Amino acid sequence: MPILLAVFFLSGASALAYQIIWIRLFGLVFGGTVVSMSVVVAAFMGGLALGSRFIGRYAERVGNRVRLYGFLEITLGILSLIVFFCIPYLSRLIYALPFGTNANSAGGVLVRLVLSGMILIVPTMIMGGTLPVLVRAVTSDKKNIIGNTSFLYAFNTLGAMTGAFLVGFVLIRFLGMTWSNLLAVLVNLSLGIIALAVSRQFESTPDTSPEPLPARKQPTKQPAAVEKGTRFIIALTVTGFVSLALEMIWMRMLLLTINNTIYLYTIVIVSILFGLGLGGLLLPSLIPPRARNERTFGLILAAMGLTILLGFILFPLTTSIGFGAHAFYATWIRLSVLTAILVFFLGFAPVFLMGLSLPIGVGLYAREVQGLSRRVGVIYAFNTAGSLAGSLAAVFILIPLIGMKWALILSSLTVMVPAFYFLGKDKKDRRRLGKEYRTSALHLSAGILYLLLFIIAASIDIPRSILERILLPGETMEYLKQGSSSTVWISDKDNYLRKIWIDNLWVSSTSREGTHNLLGHYPILFWNKPSEPRLYPKKVAGIAFGTGQTFGACLLYPIEKIDCVEIDPEIIRACKGRFNAENYGVLEDSRTRVIIDDGRFYLAGTREKYDIITVEPLQPYTRGTVNLYSREFYDACRRTLLPGGVVAQWLPIYNSGVMDTWSMIRTFAESFTHVLFFLNTSDGILLGSDSEMHLDPSRPFPEGAQKDLDRIEDLSVYALAGNYICSREKLLQVSKNYPLITDDKPTLEFNAPISHWNEDVTGPIEMRRQFLNLMEPVEPLLTGNVNWDLARKFHESRKLMYEGSNLESMNNIDSAQQLYLAAYNANHQDLKAIKALFMLLRKNNRLHMLPPELQFLAKPPSAAPTR
């Protein structure tokens, strides 16, 4: 038994490693939409359920189940190697199907379900079949069913926890996807060999005789036997449903406070698996054999329902204490610990009780050893099927329709129904009156306590009460919607600065910083197609909608079509009619087509070709965003570009560490033959093309585009050229020692959260310093009839302004003031330099030090002359 426990522990670790790795691969092939990923999870868990059912039945006819288990592990290792290399080839098939590329259509869902099922059905069936096989292999006495099931389940689950931790924190980050999968394959092969080597110790006789049937003279007993087993199947199906539904709900609740990183996902999975495994491990010690009855099962279910509500009630308090204002300046390790503590208070108790409930339910259902593996397989299959239904229902039905609060309350209520049923079951108590009294007391106590917790939970306003903590003084929440994948909301401050948020992450705003708009202006102005005498491009594709300002800026030029690709439909719904002044009504423009899909998947599979592709994804530390910064993504962009086309990529310097920033730059620069890099305050903009890119200031400029530049305080194309840093050669020279970002080694997703929290403000300061040292002359950038004096003035003023910004970030106010003043003196037309000087002086009560000709800015708005 000890050797099998160790083997099953490692088997769980490899199984979870496969699950995480394969789901990542399918995300690259099918797209990272909620629909696509849910289909893959459905195929995975469906295979587990089928394997538990049918392999459990087959094991009854086998004499040596440990030998069978050994062959299953070896087969799983071989198949897992094949699966890893087969998944990427699915893209060729799915792109060839006219309806397969749309994940939101019935045809697209069906295609994904069939393809993922074909690939995953056999290995996942093997995974699902291992538990019933081993339970039967080590159980020769019905008194040991619950104990053996408990230990095997616990060790396998704790192994899965270990696998999730290693993959989420270590293996993919340092070894990459391929070597992580190969390591799991080696583990399976080794376990299979070990199981075969010790299998002689577990020789047994196959269960060939059918289960005893009721005597013909007692036909009334058959319905009772069916009812007896059915109630346990129903109860464990319910707990499976609730367990995965809660996992989805808890993850969404945590995202209200914690950034959506790979580490949050890993911590939640590890915590849940730890609770389940610990429950199974401690069951024999906590519940003596005489107490392992139906009433105890009911008590566990009732406690589960109560603690679900209790964790929800504590959630606002624990988030307030654990993630106050100081958490934003914490280290990555401290935040990881705080996250684990928060998960503990939110859901550890109900998860631990779930770990107790499964082995007891299995043991009570499978009372006889004969047919044990079949019985375990049946009930484990129903439990897994319930988990599958719970995850899908929570994502697509419960949260969008009734919100995460009521979805959680409904989950707790669902558990309480079978709990009340089993609280009244106690066959050993023959005293009718005493039994009824104790049953009524249990029901009444549980009911009163549940009702009290229910009332308190129903009064909590989540997510609004959590999200409103983020708001600044004078800022209000004007829109909130809980969708399938995220909570999207809009804040407004003084009818001036409006922001759109995904969970707790501010993704876009109406500020005059201008980066959103510039991601539209830059690629269009630098687009060049010598073979065709066109002033401006015709077709544009934009990835990540935000507030739509980038796409609106594109429509200010005489383009013919723009395709807006957004993965979250709630973003589009939130923006309709709410940001028309800033995005120029892009969603109502006839040239606009909105595509709800994963941006990378769309570009890789579309038959469309574009002159311009503009990319403004979420911050690189968010989970899954690395797919829009990888070498393979840029390959897809390059294949989709028309000759002379330009790709514009947002580079979020303010949220990234030095290594992460240079890795993003190197990956982009190696993907295109011509690259230009621009700096706009704390944002970088990379332009890539297969042709040389030049800016012609003498080109006719649309009136609407000029007004937009005025609004963001960049008065002319010379101001845009003033942000120029350097070209491809210098970027590659500096970044050559930093790692490339690839699908196999998505290091950015693992490094960026650590850099973001640990470096605080030092990363952006250092990057700006390095960029300013790399600044090249602006002359090679411009062509046509150029005002060279104005071009050089803007380039000089922007350099001085950014140097001053760095010093201001380091609280060197006097030196920053001198540099801002030098920037203004170098170029009186640079409004951004004037604004930087004014804001610094106002913040430090130095407005009297404004140059005489700018003193009017210090007067109250009513007294200031119009300009």
Side-chain angles (χ1 to χ4, degrees), residues 340-412:
I341 294 172
L342 189 59
V343 174
F344 175 86
F345 281 105
L346 178 61
F348 180 79
V351 168
F352 177 79
L353 293 165
M354 290 173 194
L356 293 176
S357 67
L358 182 63
I360 288 185
V362 170
L364 294 174
Y365 174 70
R367 291 177 181 273
E368 301 297 331
V369 174
Q370 190 172 34
L372 175 60
S373 63
R374 180 185 65 81
R375 290 171 177 265
V376 173
V378 167
I379 202 164
Y380 189 59
F382 275 94
N383 180 262
T384 305
S387 300
L388 167 60
S391 64
L392 296 179
V395 171
F396 294 108
I397 300 174
L398 298 180
I399 296 178
L401 288 183
I402 61 177
M404 61 186 76
K405 177 180 77 172
W406 289 107
L408 183 140
I409 291 175
L410 181 61
S411 298
S412 72

Side-chain angles (χ1 to χ4, degrees), residues 821 824 828 834 837-838 847 850-859 867:
L821 187 59
Y824 166 68
H828 283 18
I834 297 172
L837 175 62
F838 172 78
L847 285 177
L850 278 168
E853 64 273 19
L854 297 179
Q855 282 294 328
F856 71 93
L857 295 174
K859 298 178 182 180
R867 300 189 68 193

Side-chain angles (χ1 to χ4, degrees), residues 653-716:
I653 301 167
Y654 65 91
N655 265 329
S656 305
V658 173
M659 183 179 73
D660 304 325
T661 302
W662 280 118
S663 289
M664 288 186 281
I665 291 174
R666 182 192 172 193
T667 305
F668 187 92
E670 291 205 357
S671 301
F672 299 95
T673 53
H674 298 276
V675 175
L676 300 175
F677 178 52
F678 300 85
L679 185 65
N680 183 54
T681 313
S682 293
D683 296 298
I685 296 176
L686 287 161
L687 301 183
S689 178
D690 61 352
S691 303
E692 289 190 7
M693 294 175 285
H694 296 284
L695 178 63
D696 184 357
S698 61
R699 180 191 302 184
F701 202 62
E703 181 181 354
Q706 181 60 62
K707 289 182 178 179
D708 188 61
L709 290 183
D710 293 345
R711 187 179 70 85
I712 62 174
E713 297 162 349
D714 283 306
L715 298 183
S716 68

